[in-house]
Amino acid sequence: MNLVVGAGLGGLAVSIRLAACGESVTVFEGNSYPGGKATVFDLNGYRFDAGPSLFTLPEQVDALFELADRNPREYFNYSKQSEACRYFWNDGDRFQAVSDPETFAENVSRHFGETSEAVLDYLSQAAVSYKSLGKIFLKKSLHRADTWISKPVLEAIPQVRVSDLWHSMHTQNSKAFENPKVIQLFNRFATYNGSDPYRAPGLMTMIPHLEHGVGTFFPQGGIHAITESLFKLALDLGVRFEFNAPVSKIVCQTDGSVSGLEVQGSLYSGERVISNMDVVPTYRQLLPHIKAPEKTLAQERSTSALIFYWGIRDSFRELGLHNIFFTEDYQAEFRDLFENKRIHEDPTVYIHISNKCKIEDAPSGCENWFVMVNAPHDRETDWDEVVPRIKKQILGKLTRLLERDIASLIECEEILTPLRIEQRTQSFKGALYGAASNNPFAAFLRHPNKARKPDGLFFVGGSVHPGGGIPLVLNSAEITADLIGREKRRA
Ligand code: FAD
């Protein structure tokens, strides 16, 4: 019996993978619903996806249905977006970034004065790095020797730009482009996993390949359709779920191997435990008797977020599905987030409006705005003081740049703080993506998908290898299920 702690996307995906191989699986979820961060809520006729908004690499969701011999289209559908993101700057400048690399390069050249060759060269290097290194860093356990003596590694080594290992993403972007706005645009891809572009390694310049190579997608039904369809698939495969069931302890035998879970005073036996709970509280709360891997747990966490969900009584033609309103001084913003542990005075504002693609997400003539600013991973902040102050700053910025009084258009509001994120999902300090990639070794220092001790304990999800974000969490489920399969075959 496999016992899974948590029904986030990682917990759902690993359960599906195990059940598809004939394993019996029971999932214990502390909340009353599946999906963890990828949840949903309704407010006064508006529908909001509470967490993730940007969807890339849909084939990884499809793969779960295919593995279970099901037609993905009977559960889950999506469409490719021709537009990637709309960018806004404080000086009133605006830029609409399309997905298609050639058109994007031409537009960047026309708008910002970079050469289209420079943009295409940058994107083709991103594609090379993604295709070669992605196979290793995102698809394999980095903690197994056979990963390092495999064909993909030998093929990838010559493709690595050595300077990408030692220079920051910002340095590499500054070498590639002249215009500070273009550099800022490419620096923002560090936020894909909540990292600081001024410290994250140049290797992360492969990320734009996702938006301007592979493309971005919108699930039919919104992001929560991913959670719903995976939950349905898991049920169809016989996975059992216990909701409102917070796990309080991982129970171990005297020989040091796991024997089950304690949930609300009851014991459940199992030969294997897979924790989808953040790795830090897994050790601190569920395994206080085990010596924790302190160096790994001490890795700097990713950014968190402060989110305002606003029902807006108007519509904005100048806004798209994804919109970014940049700060003037991006470096100062990241310094504030990681060093000063505060939200920057003029924060970069991201607005996601799902009813641009799914009209019924807001009443007629209205829009559902998911308004997010980067926040530090943190437990100390007095959010009662910060929330109204930051809200005022955001409203001032948007009112000025959109030339409409936004405050008067807000019909209803919900707020999510880093503290609430931690309370709802147990993510350590409210970090959105587990450990940040703020140094070249971060990928190697993330917690592996199998614990050294106790035997029989595995991990899945954004706080362990290969990291956070929907695609990587689904990768982690594949790696974890593969490790379990290997161990079973050896036994
Ligand atoms: P979680 O979703 O955190 O799930 C963990 C689950 O375990 C939770 O349901 C929790 O209740 C449960 N649990 C924890 N402890 C226990 C316990 N002791 N007992 C029982 N159950 C327990 N990713 C993207 O790809 N694109 C985006 O645009 C994006 N934007 C984001 C915006 C926000 C605001 C947030 C919060 C996240 C965003 N992400 C995005 C990140 C993405 O949501 C996460 O990486 C992913 O959903 C994490 O999945 P998970 O399974 O690792 O963990």
Side-chain angles (χ1 to χ4, degrees), residues 9-10 29-31 36-37 52-54 247 276-277 307 426 461-462 469-470:
L9 292 179
E29 167 56 54
N31 291 323
K37 296 185 182 74
S53 54
L54 179 69
V247 174
N276 179 215
M277 186 188 198
I307 299 137
Q426 304 297 322
I470 298 169

Side-chain angles (χ1 to χ4, degrees), residues 213-266:
V214 183
T216 62
F217 299 80
F218 186 78
Q220 225 172 58
I223 288 280
H224 193 247
I226 304 173
T227 299
E228 281 172 341
S229 61
L230 294 186
F231 180 52
K232 181 167 187 314
L233 174 62
L235 289 173
D236 288 353
L237 293 175
V239 175
R240 292 188 47 217
F241 287 87
E242 302 285 342
F243 288 104
N244 299 307
V247 174
S248 51
K249 193 174 174 187
I250 294 173
V251 184
C252 298
Q253 305 186 82
T254 42
D255 70 358
S257 57
V258 303
S259 59
L261 295 176
E262 189 180 297
V263 186
Q264 294 171 317
S266 300

Side-chain angles (χ1 to χ4, degrees), residues 302-347:
S302 79
T303 49
S304 185
L306 170 61
I307 299 137
F308 297 90
Y309 307 89
W310 289 336
I312 294 282
R313 205 187 308 115
D314 206 349
S315 56
F316 288 72
R317 290 168 62 92
E318 62 271 56
L319 297 179
L321 183 65
H322 304 286
N323 310 275
I324 291 178
F325 292 76
F326 277 121
T327 179
E328 195 70 44
D329 188 345
Y330 217 23
Q331 188 157 15
E333 178 168 20
F334 285 96
R335 206 177 308 118
D336 272 343
L337 291 167
F338 285 101
E339 285 175 35
N340 305 325
K341 295 274 185 285
R342 64 177 180 227
I343 298 177
H344 189 52
E345 285 301 300
D346 166 32

Side-chain angles (χ1 to χ4, degrees), residues 169-457:
M169 199 178 176
H170 171 71
T171 304
Q172 297 299 71
N173 289 340
S174 305
K175 279 195 249 166
F177 304 109
E178 305 269 328
N179 189 313
K181 286 179 181 162
V182 179
I183 296 169
Q184 188 173 34
L185 188 157
F186 281 105
N187 278 352
R188 81 102 179 153
F189 286 93
T191 62
Y192 254 61
N193 73 353
S195 300
D196 172 355
Y198 301 87
R199 289 191 292 148
L203 282 175
M204 283 177 61
T205 54
M206 72 171 83
I207 300 175
H209 171 63
L210 292 178
E211 264 177 51
H212 302 289
V214 183
T216 62
F217 299 80
F218 186 78
Q220 225 172 58
I223 288 280
H224 193 247
I226 304 173
T227 299
E228 281 172 341
S229 61
L230 294 186
F231 180 52
K232 181 167 187 314
L233 174 62
L235 289 173
D236 288 353
L237 293 175
V239 175
R240 292 188 47 217
F241 287 87
E242 302 285 342
F243 288 104
N244 299 307
V247 174
S248 51
K249 193 174 174 187
I250 294 173
V251 184
C252 298
Q253 305 186 82
T254 42
D255 70 358
S257 57
V258 303
S259 59
L261 295 176
E262 189 180 297
V263 186
Q264 294 171 317
S266 300
L267 287 177
Y268 295 82
S269 301
E271 71 209 78
R272 203 170 294 115
V273 167
I274 302 127
S275 182
N276 179 215
M277 186 188 198
D278 187 303
V279 69
V280 178
T282 298
Y283 280 102
R284 301 284 185 246
Q285 296 171 27
L286 308 191
L287 286 165
H289 47 291
I290 294 278
K291 191 173 168 335
E294 296 300 338
K295 212 171 144 195
T296 306
L297 301 193
Q299 291 306 301
E300 185 176 37
R301 299 287 108 186
S302 79
T303 49
S304 185
L306 170 61
I307 299 137
F308 297 90
Y309 307 89
W310 289 336
I312 294 282
R313 205 187 308 115
D314 206 349
S315 56
F316 288 72
R317 290 168 62 92
E318 62 271 56
L319 297 179
L321 183 65
H322 304 286
N323 310 275
I324 291 178
F325 292 76
F326 277 121
T327 179
E328 195 70 44
D329 188 345
Y330 217 23
Q331 188 157 15
E333 178 168 20
F334 285 96
R335 206 177 308 118
D336 272 343
L337 291 167
F338 285 101
E339 285 175 35
N340 305 325
K341 295 274 185 285
R342 64 177 180 227
I343 298 177
H344 189 52
E345 285 301 300
D346 166 32
T348 296
V349 181
Y350 164 71
I351 307 183
H352 168 63
I353 310 173
S354 71
N355 87 308
K356 295 284 183 190
C357 279
K358 184 170 174 281
I359 189 102
E360 60 276 25
D361 277 358
S364 171
C366 303
E367 292 182 346
N368 63 337
W369 285 19
F370 166 109
V371 181
M372 177 171 120
V373 295
N374 292 319
H377 57 260
D378 177 53
R379 274 182 180 158
E380 319 304 324
T381 302
D382 173 4
W383 291 105
D384 290 342
E385 183 275 320
V386 172
V387 169
R389 184 163 51 79
I390 297 297
K391 180 176 169 181
K392 199 168 156 214
Q393 281 157 339
I394 295 173
L395 285 171
K397 187 176 174 103
L398 297 179
T399 296
R400 190 169 58 78
L401 294 174
L402 295 173
E403 297 171 337
R404 259 183 273 185
D405 177 24
I406 304 299
S408 66
L409 299 176
I410 301 175
E411 195 169 44
C412 52
E413 174 184 78
E414 190 62 66
I415 297 169
L416 186 65
T417 62
L419 189 66
R420 288 289 290 141
I421 293 172
E422 178 160 21
Q423 287 164 348
R424 281 186 190 170
T425 62
Q426 304 297 322
S427 302
F428 185 52
K429 295 190 176 182
L432 303 190
Y433 304 97
S437 295
N438 285 343
N439 70 68
F441 308 106
F444 302 97
L445 296 172
R446 248 183 218 106
H447 195 287
N449 305 71
K450 182 181 183 330
R452 278 229 172 102
K453 271 194 179 121
D455 228 27
L457 174 62

